[in-house]
Structure formats: structure tokens, C-alpha cells
Amino acid sequence: MKKLINDPKAVVDESVEGFGLAHADLVTVFPDPKYIVRKDAPVAGKVGLVSGGGSGHEPLHGGYVGMGMLDAAVPGAVFTSPTPDQILPATLAVNSGAGVVHIVKNYTGDVLNFETAAELAQAEGVEIRTVLVNDDVAVQDSLYTAGRRGVGGTVLVEKIAGAAAERGDNLDAVAAIGDRVNQNVRSMGVALSACTVPHAGVPSFDLEENEIEIGIGIHGEPGRQKIPMENADGITDRLLDPVVSDLGLGAGDKVLLFVNGMGGTPASELYIVYRRAAQRLAEQGVTVARSLVGNYITSLEMQGCSITILRLDDEMTSLWDAPVHTPALRWGV
Amino acid sequence: MKKLINDPKAVVDESVEGFGLAHADLVTVFPDPKYIVRKDAPVAGKVGLVSGGGSGHEPLHGGYVGMGMLDAAVPGAVFTSPTPDQILPATLAVNSGAGVVHIVKNYTGDVLNFETAAELAQAEGVEIRTVLVNDDVAVQDSLYTAGRRGVGGTVLVEKIAGAAAERGDNLDAVAAIGDRVNQNVRSMGVALSACTVPHAGVPSFDLEENEIEIGIGIHGEPGRQKIPMENADGITDRLLDPVVSDLGLGAGDKVLLFVNGMGGTPASELYIVYRRAAQRLAEQGVTVARSLVGNYITSLEMQGCSITILRLDDEMTSLWDAPVHTPALRWGV
Amino acid sequence: MGLDVGWAVRWLTLSAQAMAEHRVELIELDRPIGDSDHGENMDRGFKAVMDKLAEAPPETPGAALKLTAMTLMSKVGGAAGPLYGTAFLRAATALGSTSDIDAATLATALQAARDGIVARGKAESGDKTMVDAWTPAIEAAAATAGDGDVRKVLLAAAEAAEAGAVSTDPMLARKGRASYLGERSIGHRDPGAVSSALILRAAAGAAE
Amino acid sequence: MGLDVGWAVRWLTLSAQAMAEHRVELIELDRPIGDSDHGENMDRGFKAVMDKLAEAPPETPGAALKLTAMTLMSKVGGAAGPLYGTAFLRAATALGSTSDIDAATLATALQAARDGIVARGKAESGDKTMVDAWTPAIEAAAATAGDGDVRKVLLAAAEAAEAGAVSTDPMLARKGRASYLGERSIGHRDPGAVSSALILRAAAGAAE
Ligand SMILES: Nc1ncnc2c1ncn2[C@@H]1O[C@H](COP(=O)(O)OP(=O)(O)O)[C@@H](O)[C@H]1O
Ligand SMILES: Nc1ncnc2c1ncn2[C@@H]1O[C@H](COP(=O)(O)OP(=O)(O)O)[C@@H](O)[C@H]1O
Ligand SMILES: [Mg+2]
Ligand SMILES: [Mg+2]
Ligand SMILES: [Mg+2]
Ligand SMILES: [Mg+2]
């Protein structure tokens, strides 16, 4: 394991500290308990948006704190959901009285910790709504499992719900648009290599030189199946097809196509995947109205990518286009 | 070698095609000879800015084509400078009559090919100025070598010269500000792993499990020396100190601190490096007035980073802050 | 002779030792069917419990367990943090302010802990989670409580939990991160069940 | 008997074969002291030359070399593209419209090629570049030209270029990418010197 780190136990502390120094114009970092708050929070009259989860997915979530997106992010240890004693003060810090929406990726740990924090916040008089993100089609959605994971769709939920909050939507409306994004977004990922959690020191799964793992999540957890290495077009089809069919996409649909890098894959390769996905969608009469290509929700230094598609309507499109000013996503301002 | 590619010989073609599809609102891609042009080029009355070089450094240079930065980018084969028959039409396409500045990283191949293209363009009546970027302190600057390489500073030259062109500076003025940035910027990089050029199929150099390569460039070329692995703070100091001393930085100086990822290193690690660098600069009384952290000039999937420092004056600062709208860098608009 | 606050503190201390010793093993168990952090999480959490115990020594076993609950909830994160937090909190509540725990109270407290885990995590027996260690453990505790010997209760619980952890090997996971793997989760032992067995073994050890 | 356009086309064809055959070797040579692309660049360039020759067969040796120059300049990129492009262009200019190259003209054309490389790249002998193959090659060509035998000139040039390529092993690079390595460039053979020797060997082979 070669990493640009000091003490493996200090990775999150030092990284978040550096993040706070680099983006002191946009965010304030609280070190203990650790959370990241939009510089001008709480914004009077605005619904607050809080998300969080294990670290190692940067720029998610801290990189999305700022105007038009999150009011606070709560980073846990690497790949470990944060604790209520972090989530609660973050929630209180961004509550202007209009209530707070928790955006939670559907993992047992995240759900349980946010649940506790929401109870505690409500006990302190803050109205809470929770938007659960579960867009990963690699996982069977069933009553008898933990359900689908929240992956790439999370970025889109945060952006669009954030824009709704910024324009002044009320608590229920912000949560509703977040839910609507979640209902219309699906993702699937692939790993060409595993990642190494600093405190573990060994790769999170084993892959032969000629194997890839299809259907991975974002926690270095193994995926749906190992298959022999294929070329980019073949891999793209394996990710795209289940996403398209789960969404029931067809001619006339307008979508946002998001090709996400897992951290260790160069942009040039993501564009090769994007090319194939865009061509396939065009063949099916689906219009790619918006695009996002890059490392937006990662798994440390894992090589691989995920494809996320959001079926757009006019409101989601205009909320996507609305100004955003965060360390990792910025436009219109 | 596991990569998200199809035919290794088609990597640049397919990647640039995907890039053009994803950013069709900002750029036009010409496939053969290959170059990328700002959608609204030539901009009447504006000096044109053209840069280029080998592919594999994405988002450099194509990602910086757009309002406030480059008018055209010319991608060569992976790590191979482009040819005059690409550079010439790119130059002609962005010439509004106000002349064109070539921003050239100081590598023999880039210099020779841009030189030929400049001659050909001048023969067609286009006034050309060339800004040579050579900011890499890892290389001895001497009359008896190819001189210092152009690395991280290139991004800053392109942004700041681009802003000068956008505000209407004339040809000599744009070239002059580009030169001024180059004179005030220095960089140094480290590799924790090598990268693999697709057509070569083997890593560009060998590193033991416990070795790192200090002073690498951006072409997978070996660096100044191999040393045993160190922690992030130690590595940061090895990069920062030569940059600071070569620039002659001292108390009272204002700088832009740019921590760049080489492609395979997660953002969290870059912020650990940023933290140390910012702390060390603060100790020396140097003010970090602007920051940039992320993958902006890469070496395929190489693990590692570079530190670039630009000594700022008021004009450079305001040109840095000026609006920019490109696929990879965007603010103020 | 019941169990006093000294036992509770010894229990937590032995648990902390066990988490430190088995940290790598628990990480390794969490690797094939999870995200390689369970050992790290538990070790971090129990180290924090030790710090808290040193800062403000509790006066009753219930207070010790409540302090443990709050610390695990705030330091562990992940799935295990809230689950163990709830378990210790419910056990603490069951104990109330008693300073001398008899066998029946002990069995009730263990039952409350297990029920807390189930209430939070909604897992059933056979879902390949820590519940598969706790359920046989409380059954064994209930079966032995009649004898009135707290040590015997704890030993029975620990042994049953260890067997329960082993029993997760052939199970197909239906809760937590391992459930994403479907069939591929079969053949691996659940890390949370193993840490649960270690904690119950520590409880027995503390009563020696 | 001088050299005609048939020789020129055979030369280029054999060069293209040599680049394809030695592609991996040239990439490997470019790895420790460069960026692992020289073989790929040369192979791509000479394949393009073959296509051009097929499209519009040249009428004179000079026309063949000019077409080669333009193609290498537009297809190779890197340092080698402009350098070889200039070399072939200067040689073509030296040949003018002659359709029958005698030994003296041949030596002059080779000298013009070398001078073109030096004019573009500013390298001196001993800088560890292709110049270290070309300089001994043109010296050998000049020394043998007096005999009037073009084959002898080409063989002498090829042999000298091969020796010249070997002579780069102990040199410290002062030009091109290898110069970044300073002392670490010592002990490696310059890839451009090797490709130059291959091209000159092809020239001799074409005259057999
Ligand atoms: N719904 C659940 N009910 C009971 N136990 C669970 C549940 N989900 C997960 N667990 C337990 O938690 C353990 C994993 O804990 P840990 O690795 O610390 O958290 P995470 O899965 O968030 O990384 C599993 O081995 C399992 O025993
Ligand atoms: N200034 C120079 N003069 C002469 N030859 C040079 C010079 N710089 C580089 N070369 C030659 O070019 C070769 C490298 O070519 P190539 O690998 O194709 O280009 P690049 O170095 O741009 O990747 C070197 O081996 C050397 O022989
Ligand atoms: Mg976890
Ligand atoms: Mg090259
Ligand atoms: Mg885990
Ligand atoms: Mg090369």
C-alpha cells in the first residue's frame, strides 16, 4: 500500500483539515465532532440540507457543501458511516427554522446513524425529512435484503434538492424533489482494481490480472460477479443495459448521463465509456440532455467507473442548471 | 494492463470523440487532423490561444477550451506531441485577425512541432507568438540540456493568458502575461506508481513496493531519483522546498498554491499534501491567496502529485479570478 | 454472589483488549463480505470506552453499560455502532440502578440487549448477522439462569454465541453489507457475530 | 549504375518493415530514458508513408523522399517526427529532380539529412541522440564516395550508424527527454540512434 498519507488513523482528520484550508472561502470545518458547514449557514428562511457517510468517496460529500447544494456534510471514518454526535450538531448548525433534509445513502450504518440523529434533532425542535438514496441496480431490491445501495445518484439528488432549497422551496417540497430524483435515477459500477482502506492496508478484494468485478458499490465491497476483462464498449454495455431497462427508458425520453470515475481511472477512459453510452442511448432514441463526466463519487484509488442515468423532466433540468458554488461543482456563479 | 479502452491505437480518437459528445455545448471536435476548438471561435477581435501536446494529461489541454481560456487544443498521440498538420488548422480556425498565441510546454517534440506550425501559419499571414512553459524545478536548467519541462504551471499560464485575451489584450500583451506567469511559477512532482502507455502495455518505469520516484514529469518518464517511501508530510517537503527556494519566496509574498493529482491518487490524499504545504508556507510568512486542488494535469493513471506555486501580483490575481467556462475549469459564469 | 460494577468494568476492559487483539481478524472477516472496517470500528469504539471509564468511573453496572452505549454510538459509526449502542443501552436500562446483578436479572439484561439489536436492525435469525450470535446466547442464558449462578449463565452465553458465530458460515446474508453479495456471501463468517461472541466471552472472563 | 526511384521506394518499404519489426524494441529502449513511444511513433509514421506511396507513386527519388518527409512530419509527432521530417526534406532538396543518384550526390544528400537534424535539434555529437548515428554515417559515406560505388557508400553508412548507436550507451544525454535524467541516462542506448541505424541499413538493403 503506497499512499500520500501520514498516520493511517489520521487520514480523515488531516484530509478534512486540508480541505478546510483550501476552501476556507466556502466552508467551515469543525474538527471534533467532525462536520463541514457552508460558510454562511444557516441561510435565513432556507431549508437546510445535510448529507454524510463514510469518507473515501471524495469529493462526496464535503465537496458539495456550498451555495445551491449541501449546507453541511458529515464525514465518517473511511467507509464507515458517521455517528449521531456528528450529524446532530451539523443539523443544528444549518437549521434556520425551516427544517432540515437528511440525504442518506441506503446502507444499514448510514440509515441507523442518521435515524438516531434525526430523532435527537426532532427532540430539539428541528423538523427533519429524510431522503433515502438507493439507485444501485447491481443489488436486488427486495424486502429480504438491506435493499439497493445509494451510489452515483446521490450526487444528482444533492444537486437538485440543493437547488430547490436555494430557490426557497419548503421542507416537504425539497424532500419531495429529492425523492423524485431518487425514483428516476439508476446506477451501476465496475471495478478494474480494488482499493485499499488505509487502516486495513490490504486491497478490499482480490482480482486476477485478467478479471474485473461488475456491480461494485463505492465501499470497496465486492460486486455482483467477477468476469474476465473486456473492452470498454463491452463493459459499458454491461453497465448501461440494466440501468436503461430498470428505468424503462425508451424513445423520446430525456436524460442526464453521468459517467463517474472511481478514483484511479483517468478522464480519457471515462470519455471512452461516455462515447459508447451516448451512442447506445442515441440509437435507442433517448436524448442525452445533460452530461457529467469525472470523479464525483469515488472509492479511494479504485480503478473503474459507474454509469448513472437520471430521467429528466423540465423542473429537474432547470434545477440541475441552477447556479451552484461548491468546492467540487460550480457553475452559473 | 487493465484499462477502460477498446483498441489501444484508438484510445485518443475515441476519448476525444466522447469528450466532444459530452461537451458539445462548449467545443467542436475535428477528428482528422485532430483538434478541439471553442464553439464560438474565432471570437471577433480576440487574440486566439492554442495549446497542445501529447494526450494522457487530461483534462489538459482539451478540458481548458472555452470562454476565458484556450481557443483550441491539439491532442497528440499518448505522450507524443501533436504534428504541424494538426496545429496549423487549429491555429487558422481561431485566428480572428488579432493573431494567435501558442502555449508550448518545453519538450523537444512540442517545441519543434509548434515551431514548424508557427512558420506555416505565419506564411499564411497569421501573427504568432509563442509562450514556452518550463516550470519544472526537478530538471536542471542549463544551456547544455533540453531545459526545464513544462508541467503544472501550464494550467495557470493557460488560465491567466486566456483571461487576458478575453478582456481584449493585444497579441504582445497576451504573450507577455503568459511569459510573466511562466517566470513566476515553479513545480515539482512525485510518482508513487508508474503509468502504462496503452500502446506500450508495460509500466513506463519500475518501482519497488517501497520506492517512490521524486522529480517525475508528466510523461511517465522517470524522475530525478528513486527514494524509499516516506509519509505525506515528508514527501510534501521534498516537493515544496525546491519550489519555494527556486522562486525565492519569502515573508510577504502572495501565492497561488496548486496541488495536482497525477491521475491515480484520490482527492483525500491531495488535501493531506495541501494541508502540509499550506502550513509550511504560513510558517514562512507566505500568504496562500488562491488554491487549486485536483487532477488538472495528469499522467494517465499514475499515482502521485505535483506541487505548483505561482507568485501572484494583483493583475495575475484578477485574471485568475476572471470568469472561465470550459469543460474542466469553470467559475464566474 | 452477583455481579457488581467491578465486573462491568472488567468486562469492558477485557472487551477492549479482545477488540485490539482481534482487530486484524475482524477486518479480514469484513473484507470478503463487507468493507474491511469492522475490526477498526470496534477497536476505536472500545478504546474510547476505556478513556471514558478512566475519566468518570461509573458507580453501578448499569451506569458503566450506559456510558459504553453512548460512547459506542458516538465513536463507532457504521452498522455496528448503533446496533451495539442500542444493545448496551437496553441492557443498562434493564439493570436500572442495581449494584448487584443476580442470574435472572443478568439473563433479562442480555435478552434486552438482543432485542435492542433486533429492534434497530430488523434482522431475523439466519440472516447472517450478529443476531445469530446473540439469539442462541440469550437462549442459553435463560436456560441456565434458574441455577442462580451468574458465571454459569455467562459461560453458557459465551459458548452459545461462539457456536452461533460459526453457524453463520453457510448462511446467505439478508441484512447489512454482506446481503449485496447474494450467493457469494455463503462460506464466510459474519464479522459482527464474531465480535459479539468475543464480547460475551469477555463478560464470562470478567466473572472468573 | 546509380540509384533510381525503385531504390527509393524499396528503401522506404524496408524501413517500414524494420520499424514494424523493431517497434517493441524501440519502445523498450525509450522506456528507461524516455516515454515509451519511439517505436510506436516510427511504426505509425512509416505505415503512413507506405499508404502515401501506394496512393501516388513518386516519379523520382527526390519526390519519394519529399513525400516521406511530409508524411513523417504530419504523422509521427514527438521529437522524432520533425527531425526525421527535416532530414528527408533536406535530402530530397539535395537530390532535386535527378532520377539517377551517383555516389557523390548520395553522400551529399546524406550530409544534408544530417545537417537538417542538427539544424532543427541543435544537438552535437556526444549528446546521445540520433545525431550520434548520423554523423559517423555521413563521414563514412563521404570517405567511400570517391570509389563511385553507391552500394559501398550505403553499406559504410549503415555500419557506421550501427556503431554510432552502440556508442551512445555510455553517453550522458544532453538533448531530448533523456537529458532530464542526467547521470541516470548513462548505460542506455538512444532509441533515435537505433532507428536511424535501422533506416540506413534499409537504404543499403534496398541497393542489394
Ligand atoms: N440489520 C442488521 N442487523 C443486525 N446486525 C447487522 C445488521 N446489519 C449489519 N449488521 C452487523 O454489522 C456487522 C458489520 O459491522 P461494521 O463492519 O462495523 O459496519 P458496516 O457494515 O457499516 O461497515 C455485520 O457483520 C453484522 O453482524
Ligand atoms: N534535440 C535533438 N536532436 C536530435 N535528436 C533528438 C533531439 N531530441 C530528441 N532526439 C531524438 O529523438 C528520439 C526520441 O524520439 P521520440 O521518442 O519519438 O520522441 P519524444 O522524445 O518526443 O517522445 C531520441 O532518442 C533522440 O534520438
Ligand atoms: Mg463500514
Ligand atoms: Mg513522446
Ligand atoms: Mg464493515
Ligand atoms: Mg519518446
Side-chain angles (χ1 to χ4, degrees):
Chain A
M1 175 185 69
K2 274 195 241 174
K3 289 177 182 285
L4 284 169
I5 62 173
N6 298 302
D7 179 358
K9 299 211 187 270
V11 163
V12 176
D13 286 352
E14 295 183 353
S15 177
V16 173
E17 186 185 344
F19 174 83
L21 290 170
H23 304 291
D25 52 330
L26 296 176
V27 302
T28 307
V29 166
F30 293 84
D32 190 18
K34 193 180 303 305
Y35 56 99
I36 299 163
V37 169
R38 177 174 163 174
K39 200 87 200 168
D40 55 351
V43 180
K46 194 184 91 68
V47 170
L49 249 78
V50 177
S51 191
S55 292
H57 309 304
E58 291 71 22
L60 189 88
H61 298 270
Y64 302 131
V65 173
M67 197 279 281
M69 214 159 162
L70 298 180
D71 294 272
V74 190
V78 175
F79 292 171
T80 301
S81 56
T83 55
D85 72 324
Q86 301 170 260
I87 305 168
L88 177 62
T91 302
L92 299 178
V94 305
N95 177 43
S96 70
V100 174
V101 173
H102 284 173
I103 299 178
V104 181
K105 303 192 296 305
N106 187 35
Y107 299 93
T108 307
D110 293 60
V111 170
L112 294 180
N113 286 286
F114 270 93
E115 213 170 81
T116 305
E119 260 178 62
L120 295 168
Q122 267 152 343
E124 303 211 18
V126 183
E127 266 208 277
I128 303 288
R129 297 288 178 280
T130 298
V131 174
L132 198 68
V133 186
N134 58 352
D135 57 318
D136 188 353
V137 299
V139 170
Q140 294 301 330
D141 194 8
S142 148
L143 277 179
Y144 306 104
T145 68
R148 286 182 162 173
R149 299 173 288 211
V151 288
T154 313
V155 180
L156 311 186
V157 171
E158 293 180 2
K159 169 64 183 85
I160 291 174
E166 200 72 44
R167 75 173 174 190
D169 283 13
N170 70 22
L171 185 61
D172 284 323
V174 173
I177 188 88
D179 283 335
R180 193 156 102 229
V181 174
N182 182 55
Q183 277 149 28
N184 286 283
V185 73
R186 298 290 186 282
S187 302
M188 180 132 163
V190 63
L192 274 57
S193 68
C195 56
T196 300
V197 177
H199 65 241
V202 289
S204 51
F205 51 87
D206 301 313
L207 276 181
E208 298 295 319
E209 181 49 42
N210 195 34
E211 266 178 357
I212 59 177
E213 182 94 35
I214 293 276
I216 43 124
I218 53 168
H219 293 91
E221 66 269 53
R224 199 191 250 192
Q225 53 170 339
K226 285 183 197 189
I227 61 164
M229 181 67 193
E230 290 185 3
N231 71 15
D233 286 353
I235 292 171
T236 303
D237 293 352
R238 283 185 189 271
L239 303 185
L240 188 72
D241 292 349
V243 167
V244 165
S245 78
D246 204 282
L247 274 175
L249 286 184
D253 277 322
K254 279 170 63 170
V255 302
L256 185 158
L257 171 57
F258 170 25
V259 175
N260 174 61
M262 301 307 297
T265 282
S268 49
E269 296 179 25
L270 300 180
Y271 283 113
I272 292 177
V273 171
Y274 180 92
R275 168 183 171 274
R276 173 70 169 194
Q279 287 174 346
R280 292 286 311 279
L281 289 170
E283 278 165 28
Q284 295 166 47
V286 175
T287 303
V288 176
R290 296 292 182 274
S291 297
L292 188 67
V293 183
N295 294 345
Y296 291 100
I297 171 169
T298 62
S299 259
L300 296 170
E301 75 287 357
M302 185 184 281
Q303 282 187 292
C305 73
S306 60
I307 293 181
T308 295
I309 294 182
L310 168 64
R311 190 204 326 263
L312 287 168
D313 58 30
D314 288 346
E315 188 184 20
M316 286 194 265
T317 308
S318 82
L319 290 169
W320 175 255
D321 290 343
V324 58
H325 187 177
T326 71
L329 213 63
R330 180 171 177 184
W331 56 70
V333 60
Chain B
M1 175 185 70
K2 274 195 240 173
K3 289 175 183 284
L4 285 168
I5 62 174
N6 299 301
D7 179 358
K9 296 207 189 275
V11 164
V12 176
D13 285 353
E14 293 182 355
S15 176
V16 173
E17 186 185 345
F19 173 83
L21 290 170
H23 305 291
D25 52 330
L26 297 176
V27 303
T28 307
V29 166
F30 294 84
D32 189 21
K34 194 180 303 308
Y35 56 98
I36 299 163
V37 169
R38 177 174 162 174
K39 201 88 198 169
D40 56 350
V43 180
K46 194 183 91 70
V47 169
L49 248 77
V50 177
S51 191
S55 291
H57 309 303
E58 290 73 19
L60 190 87
H61 299 270
Y64 303 131
V65 173
M67 198 278 282
M69 214 160 164
L70 299 179
D71 293 273
V74 190
V78 175
F79 292 170
T80 300
S81 55
T83 56
D85 72 323
Q86 301 172 260
I87 304 167
L88 177 62
T91 302
L92 299 177
V94 305
N95 177 43
S96 71
V100 175
V101 173
H102 285 173
I103 298 177
V104 181
K105 304 193 294 304
N106 187 35
Y107 299 94
T108 307
D110 293 59
V111 170
L112 294 178
N113 285 286
F114 270 93
E115 214 170 80
T116 305
E119 259 179 61
L120 294 168
Q122 267 153 343
E124 303 211 17
V126 183
E127 267 208 278
I128 303 288
R129 297 287 179 280
T130 298
V131 174
L132 198 68
V133 187
N134 58 352
D135 58 317
D136 187 352
V137 301
V139 171
Q140 292 303 330
D141 193 8
S142 146
L143 278 179
Y144 306 104
T145 68
R148 286 182 162 173
R149 300 174 288 211
V151 289
T154 314
V155 179
L156 311 187
V157 171
E158 293 180 1
K159 169 65 183 85
I160 291 174
E166 200 74 42
R167 76 174 172 190
D169 283 15
N170 70 23
L171 185 61
D172 284 324
V174 172
I177 187 87
D179 284 334
R180 193 158 99 227
V181 175
N182 182 55
Q183 278 150 26
N184 286 284
V185 72
R186 297 289 186 283
S187 301
M188 181 132 163
V190 64
L192 273 57
S193 69
C195 57
T196 299
V197 177
H199 64 242
V202 290
S204 51
F205 51 88
D206 301 312
L207 276 181
E208 299 295 318
E209 182 47 46
N210 197 33
E211 265 178 357
I212 58 177
E213 182 95 36
I214 294 276
I216 43 124
I218 53 169
H219 293 89
E221 66 269 53
R224 200 191 249 191
Q225 53 170 338
K226 285 184 198 188
I227 61 164
M229 181 67 192
E230 290 185 3
N231 71 13
D233 287 353
I235 292 171
T236 303
D237 293 351
R238 284 185 187 270
L239 303 184
L240 189 71
D241 292 348
V243 166
V244 166
S245 76
D246 205 282
L247 274 175
L249 286 183
D253 277 321
K254 281 170 62 171
V255 302
L256 185 158
L257 172 57
F258 169 26
V259 175
N260 174 62
M262 301 307 297
T265 283
S268 51
E269 297 179 26
L270 299 181
Y271 283 114
I272 292 177
V273 170
Y274 181 92
R275 169 184 171 272
R276 174 70 169 191
Q279 287 173 346
R280 292 288 309 278
L281 288 171
E283 278 164 28
Q284 295 167 47
V286 176
T287 304
V288 176
R290 296 292 182 275
S291 296
L292 188 68
V293 183
N295 294 345
Y296 290 100
I297 171 168
T298 61
S299 259
L300 296 169
E301 75 286 0
M302 185 184 282
Q303 282 187 291
C305 72
S306 60
I307 293 182
T308 295
I309 295 183
L310 169 63
R311 190 205 326 264
L312 287 168
D313 58 30
D314 289 346
E315 189 184 19
M316 286 193 265
T317 308
S318 83
L319 289 169
W320 176 255
D321 291 343
V324 58
H325 187 177
T326 71
L329 213 63
R330 180 171 177 184
W331 57 71
V333 59
Chain C
M1 283 300 310
L3 299 164
D4 60 7
V5 67
W7 164 79
V9 171
R10 280 196 305 282
W11 174 20
L12 299 168
T13 308
L14 289 177
S15 295
Q17 283 171 11
M19 294 307 128
E21 261 168 43
H22 295 267
R23 179 179 162 278
V24 172
E25 177 193 334
L26 294 171
I27 287 175
E28 270 301 307
L29 287 172
D30 199 26
R31 195 166 87 98
I33 58 170
D35 58 353
S36 312
D37 65 355
H38 188 59
E40 176 72 15
N41 294 345
M42 296 303 291
D43 185 37
R44 184 177 60 244
F46 272 95
K47 283 211 160 68
V49 170
M50 285 298 98
D51 291 346
K52 291 278 175 201
L53 284 175
E55 269 171 36
E59 312 229 314
T60 61
L65 301 195
K66 178 153 189 218
L67 176 152
T68 302
M70 302 315 288
T71 308
L72 294 181
M73 277 205 207
S74 78
K75 292 296 170 198
V76 175
L83 292 170
Y84 277 120
T86 305
F88 278 98
L89 194 61
R90 297 276 180 106
T93 308
L95 293 180
S97 57
T98 183
S99 54
D100 185 38
I101 308 165
D102 62 25
T105 310
L106 178 60
T108 312
L110 291 175
Q111 164 100 38
R114 198 287 309 253
D115 291 352
I117 294 169
V118 171
R120 284 312 297 273
K122 313 268 178 336
E124 294 173 12
S125 288
D127 284 357
K128 197 179 186 106
T129 69
M130 56 175 70
V131 170
D132 294 310
W134 281 92
T135 299
I138 61 155
E139 283 166 5
T144 47
D147 297 356
D149 180 348
V150 288
R151 274 187 219 168
K152 210 167 138 189
V153 172
L154 288 171
L155 273 174
E159 260 160 45
E162 284 158 2
V166 172
S167 81
T168 63
D169 290 4
M171 293 178 185
L172 185 149
R174 277 192 292 260
K175 281 283 178 278
R177 229 170 258 289
S179 72
Y180 306 139
L181 285 169
E183 300 282 332
R184 285 171 80 192
S185 66
I186 292 172
H188 298 279
R189 190 161 301 172
D190 179 62
V194 173
S195 62
S196 294
L198 289 169
I199 289 169
L200 288 168
R201 175 60 66 189
E208 299 274 296
Chain D
M1 284 304 307
L3 300 164
D4 59 8
V5 67
W7 165 78
V9 171
R10 280 197 304 282
W11 174 19
L12 299 168
T13 309
L14 289 177
S15 295
Q17 284 172 11
M19 294 307 126
E21 263 168 43
H22 295 267
R23 179 181 163 277
V24 173
E25 176 194 332
L26 293 172
I27 287 175
E28 270 300 306
L29 287 173
D30 200 26
R31 195 166 87 98
I33 57 168
D35 58 352
S36 311
D37 63 357
H38 188 59
E40 177 72 15
N41 294 344
M42 297 303 292
D43 185 37
R44 183 175 62 243
F46 271 95
K47 283 212 162 67
V49 169
M50 286 298 97
D51 291 346
K52 290 281 173 195
L53 284 175
E55 270 171 36
E59 311 228 314
T60 60
L65 300 196
K66 178 153 189 215
L67 176 153
T68 303
M70 302 315 288
T71 309
L72 293 181
M73 276 205 208
S74 77
K75 290 297 171 198
V76 175
L83 292 170
Y84 277 119
T86 304
F88 278 97
L89 194 60
R90 297 277 180 106
T93 308
L95 293 180
S97 57
T98 185
S99 54
D100 186 38
I101 308 166
D102 62 25
T105 310
L106 178 62
T108 311
L110 291 176
Q111 162 100 38
R114 199 284 312 250
D115 291 352
I117 294 169
V118 171
R120 284 312 297 274
K122 313 268 177 338
E124 295 173 13
S125 289
D127 283 357
K128 195 176 186 113
T129 70
M130 56 174 72
V131 170
D132 295 309
W134 280 92
T135 299
I138 61 155
E139 283 166 4
T144 47
D147 296 356
D149 179 348
V150 288
R151 275 189 219 166
K152 210 167 139 191
V153 171
L154 289 171
L155 274 174
E159 260 160 43
E162 283 158 1
V166 173
S167 80
T168 64
D169 290 4
M171 293 178 185
L172 184 149
R174 278 192 292 258
K175 280 281 178 281
R177 228 171 259 289
S179 72
Y180 306 139
L181 285 169
E183 300 282 330
R184 285 171 79 191
S185 65
I186 291 172
H188 298 280
R189 191 161 301 173
D190 178 63
V194 173
S195 62
S196 295
L198 290 169
I199 289 171
L200 288 168
R201 174 60 67 190
E208 299 276 294

